[in-house]
Amino acid sequence: MSQYPERITIYEVGPRDGLQNEKSIVPTADKVRYVDLLTSAGLPAIEATSFVSPKAIPQLADAPHVMAGISHGANTRYPVLVPNDRGMVRAVEAGVREVAVFTAASESFTKANINTTIRQSLDNFESVVALALANGIAVRGYVSTAFGCPYEGYVAPPSVLEVTRALLDIGVSEVSIGDTIGVGTPAEVESVFGLLLKSIPAGRLAAHFHDTRGTALANVLAAMQLGITTIDSSSGGLGGCPYAPGAAGNLATEDLLYMLDGMNIETGVDLAKVAEASIYILGVLGKQPTSKYLQAYITKKGMSAA
Amino acid sequence: MSQYPERITIYEVGPRDGLQNEKSIVPTADKVRYVDLLTSAGLPAIEATSFVSPKAIPQLADAPHVMAGISHGANTRYPVLVPNDRGMVRAVEAGVREVAVFTAASESFTKANINTTIRQSLDNFESVVALALANGIAVRGYVSTAFGCPYEGYVAPPSVLEVTRALLDIGVSEVSIGDTIGVGTPAEVESVFGLLLKSIPAGRLAAHFHDTRGTALANVLAAMQLGITTIDSSSGGLGGCPYAPGAAGNLATEDLLYMLDGMNIETGVDLAKVAEASIYILGVLGKQPTSKYLQAYITKKGMSAA
């Protein structure tokens, strides 16, 4: 029989990663209610919003209002994404206790996504992280395209290791390794995480899988067997740059939680309450879930998400 | 690093399990074309149709014509489902070389599905199997509800073992262990298959998972780690008694194959050709795929399945 961790930390990205990709502007009150529903489900970490430029992404211009409006659960952290010093200053002003910065393992994607080289992105983050740490704020780092790049295809595991190490070196406490385009399989999970774990403790790594080709939960299984205990997911499967309506992006929190519950792996999270949070926000957005668990849940209850 | 089999036999159930659940009657020529497309994809086993009573299931009344119409690939087996002696006689007349019989691990499901007790179903199959073996025809057995029953809930692994052993005892060569309602997780895969494998060689077992809650590929991973080398799946994800339109039933062959290809596990099957077969039959049915891989494939190609 395989060995699995006794406990997994689910890092919920729906409110940030899910809503930043929506074209429509979701009212602040709906965002707050969505985060509050996720908090009441017992999620230990909810990435609540992003302090990006309001000009660049008007959908998230209300970030300070979201942070002021949500009920802060005693057992929940509310990290926010910050792209640069200006965002970091705004996050400090908003009283944020944890932030995340975002780079990638392939040059073409980094160029297209944040218009820098990987090296420049790391240089830019040095002052962001310094400012965070000076304010007692923990920093998470994201490494995108760790399993493949939409422009370059194959990404070599040593490239993932290099940028992960660089993030840790500038003071990031945890690095989330992302399969941005959902191409990874358990074999690649073993080669990428296997390499990282030779020199980095499992507790400083998180796995961020996309379910674009249906492999996300199998990848989670492989990552857990390697000792990874923090898994990113998005309620309802929202966000994660899916190819198109109907296609899946982020691994759905419900699918992840259903599997972990069935394996008696502790999370502290209530599956039905996550489902209700997803149904709420999907109703606001007028969307159907990509989560298979949630599709079955909705059908069984005779409900409609949107 | 985990150990996986070098080679997996994919047992394709789309033409039988997929089409028997369709309300509309698919023209025989379309069924034949669908099977031929699957054959050209290199699938080693394609469950082509079912010799059920034409009165009971008029959709499959053309079973002999399907078997006469398809191009028999040199490297492909074409098993058919037979429910009873009468079906077996018709299958022999049609020149079938391999059949499958169907029972379950829970009494309530067996009663509801085939209106017998489990014991009666096994008694009925004795003459079916004897007739098959007398004609040199191999028999596969299905054990449904092995991971949970829609009426009884939890199904104890010893019940699965008992019916599996009984099928082997009457002369069945391979038993497919089915998660009919898609509730299983890797922990249950380990307990059910773990028990079976104490007394039954892995080569006589197959795993049949449903993706209703998104866990099918993770379950495949767990089954492969236990040494199972035959996996059932359905092209496009067709069939498998999904709860409702949009909800997933059978594990999709494309999702399975994408994962196996990524893990360098040999199957001899061409993923793009399976996708084209699915797109063909989904077009005939006017349906969207539940396969996540196929959704991404269709979107990327700018196509429409239906």
Side-chain angles (χ1 to χ4, degrees):
Chain A
M1 297 292 148
S2 297
Q3 289 295 314
Y4 297 103
E6 284 179 21
R7 189 177 173 86
I8 289 289
T9 300
I10 299 182
Y11 185 100
E12 168 65 47
V13 301
R16 194 276 303 170
D17 192 0
L19 298 185
Q20 82 174 22
N21 288 305
E22 291 299 320
K23 288 202 183 71
S24 58
I25 295 188
V26 176
T28 307
D30 290 331
K31 294 177 181 172
V32 168
R33 172 112 178 100
Y34 176 38
V35 174
D36 286 351
L37 287 168
L38 292 170
T39 298
S40 73
L43 283 154
I46 303 172
E47 201 165 279
T49 184
S50 175
F51 283 76
V52 285
S53 158
K55 275 188 202 156
I57 305 189
Q59 293 94 318
L60 299 179
D62 61 357
H65 305 290
V66 170
M67 292 310 290
I70 58 174
S71 302
H72 289 252
N75 301 312
T76 305
R77 296 139 49 202
Y78 300 91
V80 301
L81 201 72
V82 295
N84 50 33
D85 287 345
R86 185 171 300 187
M88 188 64 231
V89 169
R90 288 175 67 217
V92 170
E93 287 168 359
V96 161
R97 303 309 310 144
E98 193 173 330
V99 297
V101 297
F102 198 96
T103 186
S106 71
E107 290 292 354
S108 314
F109 184 83
T110 311
K111 184 74 187 167
N113 196 42
I114 53 178
N115 198 27
T116 65
T117 65
I118 297 173
R119 187 67 256 165
Q120 284 168 341
S121 75
L122 293 164
D123 290 346
N124 295 342
F125 291 151
E126 269 193 60
S127 54
V128 173
V129 176
L131 184 54
L133 298 182
N135 285 275
I137 294 172
V139 186
R140 165 183 247 232
Y142 281 102
V143 176
S144 286
T145 63
F147 294 81
C149 168
Y151 311 107
E152 296 174 24
Y154 178 72
V155 171
S159 308
V160 182
L161 176 62
E162 192 181 343
V163 63
T164 302
R165 285 229 63 90
L167 282 167
L168 292 169
D169 287 346
I170 61 170
V172 162
S173 58
E174 174 180 279
V175 182
S176 174
I177 308 298
D179 182 10
T180 311
I181 54 173
V183 292
T185 68
E188 284 118 30
V189 171
E190 291 194 359
S191 60
V192 172
F193 279 99
L195 177 64
L196 296 177
L197 288 165
K198 281 184 187 168
S199 59
I200 301 170
R204 302 197 65 180
L205 297 172
H208 184 111
F209 296 121
H210 284 194
D211 208 21
T212 318
R213 291 165 186 82
T215 57
L217 281 184
N219 292 344
V220 168
L221 205 68
M224 290 197 303
Q225 288 176 357
L226 294 169
I228 299 298
T229 57
T230 298
I231 309 288
D232 297 0
S233 64
S234 175
S235 95
L238 276 178
C241 301
Y243 276 114
N250 282 310
L251 167 60
T253 305
E254 288 90 341
D255 295 3
L256 172 62
L257 198 46
Y258 180 79
M259 183 175 86
L260 297 179
D261 283 352
M263 299 177 73
N264 283 316
I265 295 172
E266 210 185 320
T267 62
V269 184
D270 184 315
L271 174 51
K273 286 188 178 173
V274 174
E276 295 303 327
S278 298
I279 289 167
Y280 173 77
I281 197 67
L282 287 163
V284 169
L285 298 171
K287 288 182 92 162
Q288 296 298 324
T290 60
S291 162
K292 289 201 170 175
Y293 175 86
L294 193 55
Q295 288 166 1
Y297 179 93
I298 289 169
T299 307
K300 209 169 178 183
K301 290 190 79 171
M303 300 158 59
S304 166
Chain B
M1 294 291 149
S2 298
Q3 289 294 314
Y4 297 103
E6 282 179 22
R7 189 177 173 87
I8 288 290
T9 300
I10 298 182
Y11 185 101
E12 169 65 45
V13 300
R16 194 276 304 168
D17 192 0
L19 297 185
Q20 81 174 24
N21 289 304
E22 290 299 320
K23 287 200 185 72
S24 58
I25 295 188
V26 176
T28 306
D30 290 330
K31 293 177 182 172
V32 168
R33 172 112 178 101
Y34 175 39
V35 174
D36 286 351
L37 287 168
L38 292 171
T39 298
S40 73
L43 282 154
I46 303 172
E47 202 166 277
T49 183
S50 174
F51 283 76
V52 285
S53 157
K55 275 187 203 156
I57 305 189
Q59 293 93 319
L60 300 180
D62 60 356
H65 305 292
V66 170
M67 291 311 289
I70 59 174
S71 303
H72 289 252
N75 299 313
T76 305
R77 296 140 49 202
Y78 300 90
V80 301
L81 202 70
V82 295
N84 49 33
D85 286 346
R86 184 170 300 186
M88 189 65 230
V89 170
R90 290 175 66 216
V92 170
E93 287 168 0
V96 161
R97 302 310 310 146
E98 192 173 330
V99 297
V101 296
F102 198 95
T103 186
S106 70
E107 290 293 354
S108 315
F109 185 82
T110 311
K111 185 74 187 165
N113 196 42
I114 54 179
N115 197 28
T116 65
T117 64
I118 297 172
R119 187 65 258 165
Q120 284 168 341
S121 76
L122 293 165
D123 290 345
N124 295 343
F125 291 151
E126 268 193 59
S127 55
V128 174
V129 175
L131 185 54
L133 298 182
N135 285 276
I137 293 173
V139 185
R140 164 183 250 232
Y142 281 102
V143 176
S144 286
T145 63
F147 294 82
C149 168
Y151 310 108
E152 297 174 25
Y154 177 72
V155 172
S159 308
V160 183
L161 176 62
E162 193 182 341
V163 64
T164 303
R165 285 228 65 88
L167 283 166
L168 292 169
D169 288 345
I170 63 172
V172 161
S173 58
E174 173 180 280
V175 182
S176 173
I177 308 298
D179 182 10
T180 311
I181 54 172
V183 292
T185 68
E188 284 117 30
V189 172
E190 292 194 359
S191 59
V192 172
F193 278 99
L195 177 64
L196 297 176
L197 289 166
K198 281 182 187 172
S199 59
I200 301 168
R204 303 197 65 182
L205 297 171
H208 184 111
F209 296 121
H210 283 195
D211 209 21
T212 318
R213 290 163 187 81
T215 56
L217 280 184
N219 292 345
V220 168
L221 205 69
M224 291 196 302
Q225 288 176 357
L226 293 168
I228 299 298
T229 56
T230 298
I231 310 287
D232 297 0
S233 63
S234 176
S235 96
L238 275 179
C241 300
Y243 276 113
N250 281 311
L251 167 61
T253 304
E254 289 89 341
D255 294 4
L256 172 62
L257 198 46
Y258 180 79
M259 184 174 85
L260 296 180
D261 282 352
M263 298 175 74
N264 284 316
I265 294 172
E266 210 185 320
T267 62
V269 185
D270 183 316
L271 175 51
K273 286 188 177 172
V274 175
E276 295 303 327
S278 299
I279 289 167
Y280 172 76
I281 196 67
L282 287 163
V284 170
L285 299 170
K287 289 181 89 161
Q288 295 299 323
T290 59
S291 161
K292 289 199 170 177
Y293 176 86
L294 193 54
Q295 288 166 1
Y297 179 92
I298 287 169
T299 306
K300 208 169 178 182
K301 290 190 79 172
M303 299 160 59
S304 166

